Amino acid sequence: MSVRAIRAGCAVLLICTLYACGGGGSSAPTAPPTVTASALYTISGAVTGLDAGATVGLSNNGADQISVSGNGGFTFPTKMSSGFGYSVVVSAQRSGQICNVSNGSGVVGSTSVSNIAVTCSDNLPAETPTARAGDANAVSLYLDGGRPLNTGSYSPNGIYASVLVCSPGGAQCAIIDHVLVDTGSIGLRLYASAINGANPNLLAAMPQTSTSAGTVTGDCTAFGTGTTWGGVRNADLHWGGANYTGETANDIPIQVISDTDPRLSTIPSSCSNQGVPMATVQSLDANGIIGVGLRAQDCGPACASYAYASYYQCDGTGCNPVMMPVSQQIPNPVSAMAGDNNGDMIVIPGLPTGGASTASGLLVLGIGTRSNNLFDSGSVVLGANQSNQFSASFNGNTLPNSFIDSGSSVNFLASSGKVPLTIWCSHPNLICPGSSI
């Protein structure tokens, strides 16, 4: 997770081409808290710009769900008490349009909230792919800071998706929301608490991988903000299309962060030494990470020939690094699909000046595999090297080790150059320009 910010007035199109080299049902989320009827207020607003006969799905705090048909007013069925926060986002864009929410988050006061505005339009720039929500290879994205997770903090500019995860064959399934879409890493990584909260029977139905009898496989992955430690289990991933019927990556290894298997309860020092363990949803402001970067596996041939501090054999007395065949490593879920598996694009529409409290977009699977995932011949193509980096220029500087990382909330750039850059934010070491630089 490292480099990306959403700027007002600009559409964001990230295109990741994959390199073949070595990097039962669910329960409903908890409803918003309520108290006595005399202290409850409604959350409402209006939809404009929606095509005739189309619908758009909205959610409040990730739990209160409604489907709005046509333009006009809407009201969420669950009322809220004064002092509690609300966060309205587009949860299902099945209209073939992109809808954005204004005035979508805040704290309920002493009156009902009625000024939430949902504006729908076909405002994607001409050079972007023509995929729309509901297409089999289009995964709906939402940016709400992760506020519905109620972690006490939020992730500005965090790009989230909801995915359907099942045990191999589909006997047990669960929808996991607020999975961080990360172009800077590889593989699906979900917190055990999120899996158990969505379906208590799912985790036990996901088979664990093993390197020898009586052992389980542990996985340690280092990010810029810390490390994730957990077990490796197999699962089916369903995403895209209507109601997750689009694309599937069957029986793939994934990391279960903070796996409940007692053999994985102690984090090896060779893992914790790589960064602060991100052991809870609160530490990430997400229920997991879905890494869709430039590699087909999270480590590749290197881990197949040497026991790096990445994959471990755990037997209950300790965990030791082991070599892991490429076929058993955690894969890029895009490359693991049967089709549309050569890359992906993240499309975020233009935002108003000053940004927005929430936004929506698409993760388009495949590049040039369908008529809806083509991109303009005039698009700038950045050739990545074997380290998945490219050369960029900023403020008179040549930056040869650059990369795009949708899992980070800010841009990381050199502070020196032709134009002096000063700290303009209240937060130390951050620059928040009021205009383009």
Side-chain angles (χ1 to χ4, degrees):
M1 298 178 284
S2 278
V3 187
R4 186 208 42 79
I6 298 207
R7 297 183 53 205
C10 298
V12 177
L13 171 61
L14 304 182
I15 301 177
C16 298
T17 303
L18 291 168
Y19 291 80
C21 66
S26 62
S27 59
T30 303
T34 59
V35 291
T36 60
S38 61
L40 299 180
Y41 302 98
T42 58
I43 309 297
S44 63
V47 175
T48 59
L50 195 62
D51 287 343
T55 62
V56 60
L58 304 175
S59 70
N60 180 27
N61 288 337
D64 208 2
Q65 305 274 346
I66 60 174
S67 180
V68 181
S69 299
N71 296 309
F74 63 84
T75 301
F76 285 93
T78 303
K79 297 181 180 181
M80 300 183 66
S81 59
S82 177
F84 284 85
Y86 62 92
S87 178
V88 176
V89 300
V90 176
S91 58
Q93 299 204 58
R94 300 173 186 169
S95 64
Q97 297 178 282
I98 292 293
C99 300
N100 285 303
V101 180
S102 300
N103 306 320
S105 61
V107 177
V108 178
S110 58
T111 60
S112 294
V113 176
S114 60
N115 65 337
I116 298 172
V118 179
T119 305
C120 304
S121 63
D122 294 313
N123 64 343
L124 292 177
E127 68 270 14
T128 64
T130 59
R132 292 292 184 267
D135 291 350
N137 63 330
V139 180
S140 292
L141 304 176
Y142 47 95
L143 297 84
D144 61 1
R147 295 180 187 88
L149 296 172
N150 295 317
T151 62
S153 61
Y154 69 97
S155 176
N157 297 323
I159 302 177
Y160 297 102
S162 297
V163 297
L164 177 65
V165 177
C166 300
S167 59
Q172 296 290 335
C173 295
I175 296 173
I176 310 296
D177 65 283
H178 284 89
V179 180
L180 188 66
V181 178
D182 184 19
T183 60
S185 69
I186 301 297
L188 178 60
R189 306 173 191 278
L190 300 175
Y191 282 97
S193 60
I195 297 172
N196 286 330
N199 180 356
N201 299 316
L202 175 56
L203 187 59
M206 295 165 55
Q208 296 171 283
T209 64
S210 175
T211 53
S212 66
T215 70
V216 293
T217 301
D219 178 75
C220 178
T221 300
F223 295 90
T225 52
T227 60
T228 58
W229 166 256
V232 180
R233 296 177 182 252
N234 278 42
D236 292 347
L237 167 67
H238 304 270
W239 54 346
N243 297 318
Y244 309 99
T245 59
E247 302 277 9
T248 301
N250 286 319
D251 201 13
I252 61 171
I254 73 169
Q255 184 188 37
V256 177
I257 309 171
S258 300
D259 196 305
T260 56
D261 189 299
R263 290 169 291 186
L264 298 160
S265 60
T266 300
I267 304 176
S269 59
S270 56
C271 177
S272 59
N273 289 342
Q274 298 181 49
V276 177
M278 298 186 293
T280 64
V281 171
Q282 288 75 16
S283 62
L284 187 62
D285 290 318
N287 282 325
I289 302 170
I290 189 161
V292 293
L294 298 180
R295 301 193 304 273
Q297 296 85 26
D298 64 342
C299 186
C303 285
S305 58
Y306 185 82
Y308 288 98
S310 179
Y311 287 96
Y312 291 76
Q313 176 178 286
C314 303
D315 60 6
T317 63
C319 296
N320 297 298
V322 293
M323 294 183 290
M324 187 59 60
V326 171
S327 61
Q328 298 178 32
Q329 294 180 21
I330 296 173
N332 188 320
V334 176
S335 67
M337 300 187 310
D340 300 314
N341 55 12
N342 66 339
D344 53 84
M345 310 181 196
I346 293 178
V347 183
I348 307 294
L351 299 177
T353 301
S357 59
T358 61
S360 303
L362 291 174
L363 171 66
V364 182
L365 305 174
I367 299 175
T369 59
R370 302 181 183 224
S371 60
N372 70 355
N373 60 15
L374 305 175
F375 62 97
D376 189 89
S377 59
S379 298
V380 176
V381 177
L382 303 174
N385 58 26
Q386 290 185 342
S387 299
N388 304 315
Q389 298 173 339
F390 56 86
S391 181
S393 298
F394 173 74
N395 200 15
N397 297 304
T398 298
L399 309 174
N401 301 315
S402 300
F403 58 99
I404 297 174
D405 187 349
S406 64
S408 294
S409 59
V410 297
N411 289 319
F412 296 87
L413 301 164
S415 59
S416 60
K418 292 182 178 180
V419 179
L421 302 178
T422 57
I423 304 301
W424 293 337
C425 297
S426 57
H427 191 288
N429 302 320
L430 289 183
I431 299 171
C432 302
S435 59
S436 298
I437 55 175

Tab-separated table of all heavy atoms in Angstrom, residues 27 71 80 84 113 177 221 238 289 291 344 359 364 368 387-388:
chain	number	residue	atom	x	y	z
A	27	SER	N	-24.549	-13.343	7.241
A	27	SER	CA	-25.446	-12.612	8.117
A	27	SER	C	-25.360	-11.134	7.827
A	27	SER	O	-24.349	-10.654	7.332
A	27	SER	CB	-25.068	-12.871	9.581
A	27	SER	OG	-23.730	-12.462	9.820
A	71	ASN	N	-35.735	9.029	-10.320
A	71	ASN	CA	-35.323	10.238	-9.618
A	71	ASN	C	-36.361	10.630	-8.569
A	71	ASN	O	-37.539	10.300	-8.677
A	71	ASN	CB	-35.124	11.380	-10.615
A	71	ASN	CG	-34.002	11.103	-11.595
A	71	ASN	OD1	-32.903	10.752	-11.191
A	71	ASN	ND2	-34.280	11.246	-12.885
A	80	MET	N	-32.306	7.107	13.282
A	80	MET	CA	-31.111	7.190	14.108
A	80	MET	C	-31.287	8.245	15.189
A	80	MET	O	-32.049	9.208	15.027
A	80	MET	CB	-29.880	7.507	13.248
A	80	MET	CG	-29.588	6.480	12.171
A	80	MET	SD	-28.084	6.850	11.229
A	80	MET	CE	-26.848	6.660	12.516
A	84	PHE	N	-25.275	10.221	16.768
A	84	PHE	CA	-24.704	9.086	16.056
A	84	PHE	C	-24.356	9.481	14.615
A	84	PHE	O	-25.042	10.292	13.990
A	84	PHE	CB	-25.663	7.904	16.065
A	84	PHE	CG	-25.701	7.180	17.378
A	84	PHE	CD1	-26.529	7.608	18.407
A	84	PHE	CD2	-24.887	6.083	17.597
A	84	PHE	CE1	-26.560	6.953	19.619
A	84	PHE	CE2	-24.908	5.417	18.808
A	84	PHE	CZ	-25.750	5.853	19.829
A	113	VAL	N	-32.115	14.352	8.983
A	113	VAL	CA	-31.203	14.697	7.898
A	113	VAL	C	-31.956	14.542	6.580
A	113	VAL	O	-32.517	13.481	6.307
A	113	VAL	CB	-29.963	13.782	7.917
A	113	VAL	CG1	-29.062	14.073	6.728
A	113	VAL	CG2	-29.210	13.927	9.226
A	177	ASP	N	-17.564	-6.905	3.092
A	177	ASP	CA	-17.527	-5.528	2.602
A	177	ASP	C	-16.241	-4.837	3.045
A	177	ASP	O	-15.488	-5.350	3.867
A	177	ASP	CB	-18.739	-4.748	3.122
A	177	ASP	CG	-18.714	-4.603	4.628
A	177	ASP	OD1	-19.050	-5.586	5.331
A	177	ASP	OD2	-18.348	-3.522	5.126
A	221	THR	N	3.258	-10.960	5.337
A	221	THR	CA	3.386	-10.000	4.240
A	221	THR	C	3.637	-8.618	4.810
A	221	THR	O	2.897	-8.155	5.688
A	221	THR	CB	2.121	-9.980	3.370
A	221	THR	OG1	1.913	-11.288	2.833
A	221	THR	CG2	2.266	-8.990	2.225
A	238	HIS	N	-15.866	-14.653	-5.685
A	238	HIS	CA	-16.839	-14.205	-6.679
A	238	HIS	C	-16.923	-12.682	-6.614
A	238	HIS	O	-17.112	-12.109	-5.533
A	238	HIS	CB	-18.218	-14.807	-6.398
A	238	HIS	CG	-18.225	-16.302	-6.341
A	238	HIS	ND1	-18.441	-17.099	-7.455
A	238	HIS	CD2	-18.044	-17.155	-5.306
A	238	HIS	CE1	-18.391	-18.369	-7.107
A	238	HIS	NE2	-18.145	-18.437	-5.807
A	289	ILE	N	-7.634	-6.930	2.412
A	289	ILE	CA	-6.955	-6.325	1.263
A	289	ILE	C	-7.117	-7.264	0.076
A	289	ILE	O	-6.971	-8.485	0.212
A	289	ILE	CB	-5.456	-6.126	1.540
A	289	ILE	CG1	-5.228	-5.251	2.779
A	289	ILE	CG2	-4.756	-5.523	0.323
A	289	ILE	CD1	-3.781	-5.233	3.238
A	291	GLY	N	-5.192	-7.532	-3.289
A	291	GLY	CA	-4.057	-7.015	-4.040
A	291	GLY	C	-4.128	-7.404	-5.497
A	291	GLY	O	-4.131	-8.598	-5.828
A	344	ASP	N	-6.063	-5.204	-14.996
A	344	ASP	CA	-7.260	-4.555	-14.465
A	344	ASP	C	-7.116	-3.048	-14.555
A	344	ASP	O	-6.011	-2.524	-14.723
A	344	ASP	CB	-7.501	-4.975	-13.010
A	344	ASP	CG	-6.275	-4.766	-12.131
A	344	ASP	OD1	-6.081	-3.638	-11.649
A	344	ASP	OD2	-5.508	-5.728	-11.947
A	359	ALA	N	-17.365	8.715	-2.800
A	359	ALA	CA	-17.303	8.604	-4.258
A	359	ALA	C	-17.460	7.137	-4.634
A	359	ALA	O	-17.363	6.244	-3.784
A	359	ALA	CB	-15.985	9.161	-4.796
A	364	VAL	N	-12.326	-2.603	-13.327
A	364	VAL	CA	-12.631	-3.301	-14.576
A	364	VAL	C	-11.601	-4.406	-14.755
A	364	VAL	O	-10.391	-4.158	-14.786
A	364	VAL	CB	-12.603	-2.338	-15.777
A	364	VAL	CG1	-12.981	-3.070	-17.055
A	364	VAL	CG2	-13.551	-1.167	-15.538
A	368	GLY	N	-8.443	-5.123	-22.810
A	368	GLY	CA	-8.553	-5.491	-24.209
A	368	GLY	C	-9.101	-6.884	-24.430
A	368	GLY	O	-8.954	-7.447	-25.525
A	387	SER	N	11.249	-4.707	-11.014
A	387	SER	CA	10.843	-4.369	-9.649
A	387	SER	C	9.463	-3.727	-9.620
A	387	SER	O	9.066	-3.171	-8.593
A	387	SER	CB	11.877	-3.429	-9.005
A	387	SER	OG	13.144	-4.047	-8.920
A	388	ASN	N	8.773	-3.763	-10.763
A	388	ASN	CA	7.423	-3.200	-10.888
A	388	ASN	C	7.409	-1.691	-10.670
A	388	ASN	O	6.440	-1.139	-10.151
A	388	ASN	CB	6.459	-3.885	-9.911
A	388	ASN	CG	6.425	-5.382	-10.083
A	388	ASN	OD1	6.353	-5.877	-11.204
A	388	ASN	ND2	6.506	-6.117	-8.988
